[in-house]
Amino acid sequence: MDSFLKLALYPGALLSMVLSTTGEELVSRPENVHWVSFNFKTLLTWGPAPRNYTYTVLLSELDADSVITPDCLHIPETECDLSNYLWPLNRTYLADIQAEPTDWMKYDPEEFVHSFSPHFNPYRQSQITAASFRLEMREVNSSVALHITDPPTTFYHQGRLLTVRDVLKADLKYKISYHKARSTGKKELVFESSVAEILRLEPGQSYCFSVAAFVPSRAADAQLGAWSQQQCTPVYRGFLEELSVGALVGGFFVLLVLLAVITALTVVCCRRQRLRQNKSLRHPPAMA
């Protein structure tokens, strides 16, 4: 009797029971809510896939009122791009995902089943993708310069595509890992700019380099971006080292032939000279 009275006095409780019942449920409560963010492009994902209902995402800064995100209003998908709504980037946000029946206008929105996302701060939590770079060998001082290209974001300002450097500014640094090509021992250095010079490298050795964005102002688990593909410098060798075994054998054979020819010519010349001397001895010039 008490339960019946409760349902009669609070019809919203009945709706909530209907919306969240298992078996022949009308809607399911959103679950597995996650933020997926790379270079400040941020998606909110959840499940399950709806069958006969839709989702609406409300967004708020921490301790502020929620607002509806127009791109995530009554959608049948289980993800929504919130990149354009998470501004300023260095704020903490909270999303509220509510599941709505197709005839949602008949109900009070406060009666919809819903789930909250974890707190999210794009500036401090968005992952940084791998940077690209090119190597410049400087033989004069046995160094290598790395020219790093800052990863791009999806934001534009005055027609220019912004990079993660434009967002993070002085907070963005780069960690460089390098080692000799045939060695497993690695060294790491941190540089503040997008041009890094590695000094005092051993001449004649090939070195391999990898780069990752590094934001030390973040929490430890969000400081390091993705590592780039490895690039190695060529090996500078002497002339003889550059020649193949076949080339060396061929060169040695040519030298032997030349030596033999020179020797033969020398022998012939010596014999002719001796013959001339012998003739002059046998037939001395007549006395006047």
Side-chain angles (χ1 to χ4, degrees):
M1 185 67 178
D2 290 341
S3 298
F4 177 79
L5 260 172
K6 184 176 180 181
L7 292 176
L9 292 173
Y10 302 99
L14 175 61
L15 175 63
S16 182
M17 290 175 61
V18 172
L19 292 180
S20 59
T21 53
T22 57
E24 298 180 357
E25 60 185 358
L26 295 177
V27 299
S28 297
R29 185 180 301 278
E31 56 187 21
N32 298 323
V33 182
H34 298 289
W35 295 97
V36 180
S37 183
F38 294 94
N39 300 346
F40 309 106
K41 179 178 176 62
T42 304
L43 302 179
L44 185 67
T45 66
W46 63 89
R51 290 176 296 176
N52 54 354
Y53 56 95
T54 58
Y55 292 109
T56 289
V57 177
L58 293 85
L59 186 67
S60 67
E61 290 185 29
L62 197 61
D63 301 325
D65 294 333
S66 298
V67 295
I68 293 175
T69 52
D71 293 335
C72 310
L73 182 63
H74 312 311
I75 59 173
E77 294 84 17
T78 56
E79 69 173 34
C80 183
D81 188 346
L82 294 174
S83 305
N84 294 328
Y85 302 99
L86 302 175
W87 201 271
L89 290 170
N90 199 7
R91 301 280 179 86
T92 300
Y93 294 90
L94 179 68
D96 182 7
I97 308 168
Q98 58 184 26
E100 314 153 326
T102 52
D103 54 349
W104 57 271
M105 290 181 292
K106 296 180 181 179
Y107 305 107
D108 184 345
E110 293 185 359
E111 298 168 345
F112 298 149
V113 293
H114 66 99
S115 295
F116 289 106
S117 71
H119 292 155
F120 183 72
N121 183 309
Y123 190 91
R124 298 186 177 279
Q125 293 176 261
S126 185
Q127 299 180 57
I128 309 300
T129 59
S132 60
F133 67 97
R134 66 179 178 85
L135 298 175
E136 177 191 357
M137 278 67 73
R138 298 175 178 176
E139 297 181 57
V140 176
N141 57 354
S142 299
S143 68
V144 172
L146 286 77
H147 298 267
I148 305 167
T149 301
D150 300 318
T153 69
T154 57
F155 300 117
Y156 284 84
H157 179 66
Q158 297 180 349
R160 184 177 71 88
L161 181 64
L162 300 181
T163 67
V164 294
R165 170 75 65 187
D166 296 316
V167 175
L168 294 171
K169 296 183 172 30
D171 282 342
L172 176 63
K173 308 180 191 307
Y174 283 103
K175 182 171 287 190
I176 296 177
S177 173
Y178 69 99
H179 61 92
K180 290 182 181 179
R182 297 182 180 180
S183 172
T184 56
K186 293 185 178 181
K187 295 182 180 179
E188 290 188 349
L189 296 173
V190 175
F191 292 86
E192 295 187 357
S193 72
S194 298
V195 178
E197 186 174 13
I198 313 297
L199 301 171
R200 294 183 293 275
L201 298 177
E202 186 176 336
Q205 292 288 335
S206 173
Y207 285 84
C208 298
F209 301 84
S210 296
V211 174
F214 181 58
V215 190
S217 60
R218 290 180 168 187
D221 60 348
Q223 290 180 348
L224 196 63
W227 283 101
S228 68
Q229 290 187 345
Q230 182 174 265
Q231 293 189 45
C232 301
T233 61
V235 178
Y236 290 99
R237 305 176 188 174
F239 174 73
L240 291 178
E241 291 178 310
E242 293 289 344
L243 295 177
S244 64
V245 175
L248 289 173
V249 172
F252 184 68
F253 178 76
V254 171
L255 288 175
L256 287 179
V257 171
L258 288 174
L259 183 60
V261 170
I262 292 172
T263 302
L265 290 174
T266 302
V267 170
V268 170
C269 290
C270 289
R271 286 180 176 177
R272 287 182 177 179
Q273 183 65 25
R274 288 178 181 175
L275 287 174
R276 287 174 184 172
Q277 290 177 352
N278 291 335
K279 285 182 180 180
S280 62
L281 290 174
R282 292 175 183 175
H283 308 281
M287 298 297 292

